Amino acid sequence: MTVAPRAEAPEPSILHVDMDAFFVSVELLRRPELRGHPVVVGGTGDRGVVAAASYEARAYGIHSAMPSTRARRQCPHAVFLPGDHAHYGEVSARVMEIFRSYTPLVEPISLDEAFLDVRAARRLHGSGVEIAHELRQQVADHEGLTCSVGVAPVKFLAKLASEAAKPHASLEGTRAGHGVVVIEVGHELAFLHPLPVQALWGVGPATLTRLERLGVRTVGDLAEMPLDTVIGTLGAASGRHLHALAHGIDPRAVVPDQAPKSIGHEETFARDHHHAADLQRELLRMADAVASRLRRHHLAGRTVTLKVRFGDFRTITRSSTLPGPVDSSNTIGRAARTLLDGVDPAPGVRLLGVSVSQLVDGGTRQLRLDEADGPDWDGAEQAVDAIRARFGASAVVPAALAGPDGIRVKRRGDQQWGPDDRASGPTRPAD
Amino acid sequence: MKFRCERDVLVEALGAAGRAVANRGGALPVLSGVRAELEGDRLRLTGSDLELTIAVDITVAGSADGLAVLPSRVATDVVRSLDSGSVEVSVEGDEAHITSGRFQSAIRVLPADEFPRLAQPTDDAVTLAAADFAEALHQVVPAASADDARPILTGVLMAAEGHGLRLVATDSYRLAVRDLPGASILREGQSVLVPSRALRELERLLGGAAEVTLRLGEREATFEVGGVRLTTRLIEGEFPNYRGLIPVSHPNRLTVGREALAEAVRRVKLMAREPNTPVRLGMSSDGLELIAITQDVGQAHEQLDADYAGTELTVAFNPDYLLNGVEVTPGDEIVLDTVDAQKPAVIRANGGNEFLYLLMPVRVS
């Protein structure tokens, strides 16, 4: 009898790290007195939505994307905080840096979530499980934040595992989570098959209804269905994909930080705007912010897109492609303004967005002949960038944005979840 | 309609007229055809997409006058496939018969009465040497924009200038200006904007011809070369005021061998691999140094002998735009005038002032 040499036992090496109640936890670091109370971060005005809820607030059924007014009804004693996206972004960047100290293969999904592939890091840092525990410790030590980590052989299982590792909220109190949940190689199906089928990525309400009609309730049920039946019900692409997931197969690789495809801003207004002049002012503010961000990332783009959502939630987008890539407030504002001129604001505009796509390296830019004469916008905007870098985003703005009461600038994520109470007036304090 | 002619003559005529034929006819299906009109021994073939019309006259052995619209693609492919020699074409009812040797084909024709009437040009005609005009087109047309979003810039401005004709084109990154002295074709102050697409077609027709006759009207321009008449609708609108863009003073002047510069740019630009990567021109009393660097790919530089008067300066250009300008500038030596790294540079022939190429730099930060 011959014995094959024992290969190194395969270990799960995909990590999904999910920060626990990230926005709220970051706020609580600044306001420790609120710890243990139901806290909600998001748009605090009438039309805002919840961006994040503390576990204490979740016990009242509050969850993200819920209208703030409903959250208030469900938990009137909750503390509502306006979002500070810029600050969350800074904390997130530091947390992602900690992840990158273990492996370059970090794929951020959002500010508070990322996949890591640590296969190549095991020799240096130990097994996936060891790295998971170490990561949690590092994030806690450096940022005072907790996170949950799923460790599995493939991406979607790692995400399910981190979900299982989460703290649990109830009215009796928050039960600490496992922190790290591991799905070992060979145990995938044992973990996966008892789960309800909607635990799979890509099973929304519509898909769920169709699967229930086939008698599919658990992932195991789906795995037992013949592939042809699943395809017949869900279509080829979706059917094949979900069937593979149900068998624990997920070929997607962890793709590190991709260059952005577009850069943009959008904002829901406190009240619907009916007048072109108001919208033009908002638009200029957004164009200025988008241009500023493009330049900060050394990018320029050719396509300017305007998004308009009306009071009845009807949403339109209009784009225009320019002869060459641009990164100036002036040109982006002008292009967006031309697009806005084609839109009738009379029904009331609820949300406006400006984005720039078809991005190229903005460090070098072919100048246009019509820029040779006239004001030196490039020079002016470089000066604006320098001032903002030193004194903050509201230190200098286009004159049209200055009113008798002060100035407003657009910051990333500012009121992305709907306007705050205080935003009804035009003044925003500087950072 | 019935005629006999040489296969090679007919192929060339169908090909020339076919270049104006609309793809698939667009809104008007008959425009996917070539109109053929026979009077005695003169056959006129006309293709048009309403913007551009090309009519070709050839001499054939006619035996019955007539008018028909042949589907351009099929008719051209059939005739081209034949061996050299005599071809007979006859139209009876709604079929055209193309016969050569033992080959016979019958092609369904398009309704001739639907083909739009094309007006005869009545404007004053001026005749120029074809070689001069072809050179001017070669210098100016490439600078016109290919972007239909800005139709005005897809045109070439033809304007009266002094006692001659001036051609101007720009795509907003560079500008080419060529004067044809003595070609007084327009009244003082008059100008027309001719689609560059039509002029590219005209350039093809001018090769080998001796003369070209121009008629510049209010709405159309017509060019006649040999037996070919090209008519194009003009672009309406105001061409940008290009005069204001040409710098009046040049603090820095580089004088360099034209072919040496063109060759160096061709070599160095191989290391400008990304769409936005420029070639940098470092100019000093030591001469000219060209540099191209693409991150993670590589770099190239080349030193050239050149005379330079001015302050030491580095300006970056899109290598293709630069090369275009250098290649079409006449003479053995060119001068490159610069103000600074952000202002337009001017390329001219050393001692010549009939051609000027204005080029915006690439900003490098």
Side-chain angles (χ1 to χ4, degrees), chain A residues 61-263:
Chain A
I62 296 173
H63 55 80
S64 50
M66 172 187 275
S68 298
T69 45
R70 213 175 106 208
R72 255 184 231 281
R73 272 201 307 276
Q74 266 167 248
C75 185
H77 63 285
V79 178
F80 284 77
L81 299 173
D84 182 352
H85 207 280
H87 181 57
Y88 309 151
E90 287 163 20
V91 178
S92 171
R94 293 201 299 263
V95 170
M96 297 290 170
E97 257 337 288
I98 296 177
F99 299 167
R100 288 195 189 92
S101 66
Y102 290 88
T103 171
L105 295 178
V106 175
E107 178 180 336
I109 303 300
S110 61
L111 285 183
D112 59 348
E113 244 185 286
F115 282 107
L116 283 66
D117 183 339
V118 298
R119 201 166 322 166
R122 284 182 306 195
R123 182 157 306 176
L124 205 59
H125 297 286
S127 70
V129 185
E130 284 162 348
I131 292 175
H133 284 289
E134 218 181 298
L135 265 183
R136 292 192 73 231
Q137 193 59 50
Q138 290 277 328
V139 172
D141 290 351
H142 286 98
E143 298 298 332
L145 297 167
T146 61
C147 55
S148 304
V149 187
V151 188
V154 293
K155 269 171 113 175
F156 90 104
L157 285 173
K159 181 158 168 92
L160 290 175
S162 76
E163 193 58 42
K166 283 271 168 201
H168 185 78
S170 75
L171 289 172
E172 283 75 51
T174 305
R175 195 186 70 220
H178 301 288
V180 177
V181 165
V182 187
I183 301 175
E184 297 288 354
V185 175
H187 294 67
E188 296 96 332
L189 301 185
F191 175 88
L192 188 57
H193 282 177
L195 295 178
V197 73
Q198 58 266 43
L200 294 183
W201 260 354
V203 179
T207 307
L208 182 61
T209 311
R210 286 193 206 158
L211 288 173
E212 280 178 340
R213 234 176 270 150
L214 291 178
V216 171
R217 290 187 190 284
T218 65
V219 178
D221 294 342
L222 179 60
E224 279 172 27
M225 299 290 292
L227 176 59
D228 289 346
T229 315
V230 182
I231 289 178
T233 310
L234 303 177
S238 167
R240 224 179 279 279
H241 177 62
L242 288 178
H243 200 256
L245 291 187
H247 284 91
I249 299 165
D250 181 5
R252 289 169 296 186
V254 173
V255 183
D257 229 352
Q258 288 156 326
K261 291 205 170 60
S262 75
I263 276 187

Side-chain angles (χ1 to χ4, degrees), chain A residues 4 22 59 61 93 164 182 200 222 241-242 247 272 282 311 332 344 374 381 412:
Chain A
F22 180 59
V182 187
L200 294 183
L222 179 60
H241 177 62
L242 288 178
H247 284 91
D272 288 357
E282 298 292 348
I332 295 168
D344 177 13
E381 299 206 331
R412 183 176 186 191

Side-chain angles (χ1 to χ4, degrees), chain B residues 60-234:
Chain B
V60 298
S63 46
D65 288 0
L67 171 68
V69 177
L70 310 173
S72 169
R73 195 62 176 279
V74 178
T76 310
D77 286 352
V78 166
V79 177
R80 184 178 288 129
S81 75
L82 301 174
D83 291 333
S84 285
S86 179
V87 183
E88 188 186 86
V89 179
S90 65
V91 178
E92 281 160 35
D94 58 0
E95 279 188 345
H97 299 270
I98 300 176
T99 318
S100 175
R102 289 195 281 179
F103 172 82
Q104 292 190 353
S105 63
I107 301 169
R108 178 73 65 93
V109 299
L110 297 161
D113 53 343
E114 288 178 14
F115 203 88
R117 290 183 77 86
L118 302 162
Q120 291 291 320
T122 53
D123 303 292
D124 295 342
V126 169
T127 298
L128 304 176
D132 289 353
F133 197 63
E135 186 195 41
L137 293 179
H138 181 62
Q139 289 170 319
V140 170
V141 172
S145 171
D147 185 358
D148 288 328
R150 303 219 285 167
I152 297 223
L153 298 189
T154 65
V156 171
L157 181 78
M158 294 191 181
E161 185 74 21
H163 291 290
L165 177 68
R166 171 172 282 189
L167 274 60
V168 188
T170 179
D171 59 5
S172 82
Y173 304 117
R174 62 244 169 94
L175 171 90
V177 183
R178 167 67 199 259
D179 283 324
L180 285 163
S184 51
I185 174 167
L186 294 160
R187 289 186 309 280
E188 187 61 39
Q190 195 193 352
S191 68
V192 295
L193 198 49
V194 186
S196 53
R197 178 194 160 209
L199 295 176
R200 280 195 192 92
E201 293 301 335
L202 179 61
E203 231 187 301
R204 301 167 64 100
L205 298 171
L206 286 172
E211 290 183 329
V212 54
T213 301
L214 286 69
R215 299 170 197 268
L216 304 181
E218 290 280 309
R219 293 209 171 75
E220 287 179 335
T222 302
F223 305 88
E224 286 168 39
V225 187
V228 184
R229 191 169 76 199
L230 181 149
T231 305
T232 176
R233 205 179 267 186
L234 298 176

Side-chain angles (χ1 to χ4, degrees), chain A residues 323 363-367 369 378, chain B residues 172-173 276 360-363 365:
Chain A
T364 61
R365 189 167 70 80
Q366 170 68 54
L367 300 171
L369 284 163
D378 269 1
Chain B
S172 82
Y173 304 117
N276 260 354
M360 274 309 268
V362 170
R363 184 191 71 190
S365 59

Side-chain angles (χ1 to χ4, degrees), chain B residues 31 43 60 92 113 165 169 179 240 270 283 290 296 298 303 342:
Chain B
L31 291 180
L43 177 70
V60 298
E92 281 160 35
D113 53 343
L165 177 68
D179 283 324
L270 296 175
M283 297 173 283
L290 283 82
D296 303 328
Q303 189 78 35
Q342 315 263 345

